[in-house]
Amino acid sequence: MRIILFGIITLLTIACNKKPKAEFSLIGKTNGLKDGTSLYLELDNEIIDSTEIKNNAFVFNTEISKSPLEVILRTNDFSQYRFVWLENNQMTFDATNTDFKNAKVLGSETENLSTTLGQKLDTIPRSKRHKYRADFITENPDKLYSAYLLSFYATSWGKEKTTELYNNLSDKNKDSEFGKNALRYIKLNKDPKIGEKYVDFGMTDIKGKKRRLSEFDGKLVLLEFWASNCGPCRKENPNLVKTYNDFKNKGFEIFAVSEDIKRESWIKAIENDKLPWLQLSDLSKNNTASLIYGINGIPDNFLIDQHGTIIARNLRGEKLNEKLKELLK
């Protein structure tokens, strides 16, 4: 009996001393939103949870895949939305006297860092903001938000600066998703310049077949970077279709790389815009070709001559037509 009792006491002691598992929750207050208004937590264009507002209040008790995790908190029509870093804590969201973007969020250290940094950046000139971000990463090598910033702005800083900042990160941050993304950029990036030879790569087309840029050796090729959700890209597509039709029989080709991550959106945009040239994508948040070529924003393109030399970059509309007329007389 004493042994059994001792065992029970021991188990109770362990249970009492064991800390409860931290779980995410978000209790929020809003203003001016009708009862029944739906709110969503969105991650990478996918809804991971939803709830409804009642008396300008809401609650999420979502099991998040990792912590911290950046999501979008939004209404159905995006009239109210906010990027939020969730953590496995009891979090609060207070938009009682403001909109979602200016709501006060408590319970997430990463969200606090993001908000504080954003407020500081708003007070300094744009020309100095990259340096301030870089200084933040240097001074906070163990914060996940530093690794996130490095991954996000790697193509803006370039390979040399990104490598310097990456080397300063803590081992834990280097091993994080964002640290791995930054390292992948460092390893892949070639950043070819005008006057240099193009960098070959392979990628899957819309039929699932692996294609390579080198297949078009001997032709004048436009390496085009775009995406279905890029407004300027879609606006330019009709002009590019006309240009392609005018010069395709003279030795001109387009090799298009999409930064889309959803196949359905990619295919629909190709069909709607009636794009007849070769289309490729790895449907990744960190597109391989974009990392190789150091793409910092889209639309962007490289014009490659028949000898494989990059002769121009980011030519559009009439400027592209004039260049093609000059080269394909």
Side-chain angles (χ1 to χ4, degrees), residues 284-298:
S284 166
K285 286 194 295 183
N286 295 280
N287 184 279
T288 301
S290 296
L291 294 179
I292 291 172
Y293 277 81
I295 302 301
N296 187 36
I298 51 175

Side-chain angles (χ1 to χ4, degrees), residues 95-109:
T96 305
N97 299 307
T98 185
D99 58 12
F100 274 32
K101 289 185 179 181
N102 295 295
K104 186 175 182 179
V105 181
L106 299 177
S108 168
E109 179 189 18

Side-chain angles (χ1 to χ4, degrees), residues 159 180-192 199-201 203 282 286-294:
K159 188 172 184 176
K180 289 176 180 178
N181 287 342
L183 181 60
R184 185 164 177 260
Y185 163 74
I186 292 168
K187 288 181 175 180
L188 285 175
N189 179 250
K190 304 300 180 185
D191 200 20
V199 180
D200 195 19
F201 64 90
M203 195 166 283
D282 58 11
N286 295 280
N287 184 279
T288 301
S290 296
L291 294 179
I292 291 172
Y293 277 81

Side-chain angles (χ1 to χ4, degrees), residues 233-249:
C233 303
R234 301 293 298 277
K235 185 177 181 180
E236 180 63 22
N237 276 342
N239 297 327
L240 199 54
V241 169
K242 185 177 186 308
T243 296
Y244 180 73
N245 290 331
D246 288 344
F247 292 96
K248 66 179 180 179
N249 294 325

Side-chain angles (χ1 to χ4, degrees), residues 117-133:
L117 181 63
Q119 290 172 343
K120 177 62 180 179
L121 291 173
D122 286 342
T123 67
I124 61 179
R126 287 186 176 274
S127 59
K128 296 182 178 180
R129 291 179 185 179
H130 268 344
K131 183 180 183 307
Y132 194 88
R133 292 186 184 100

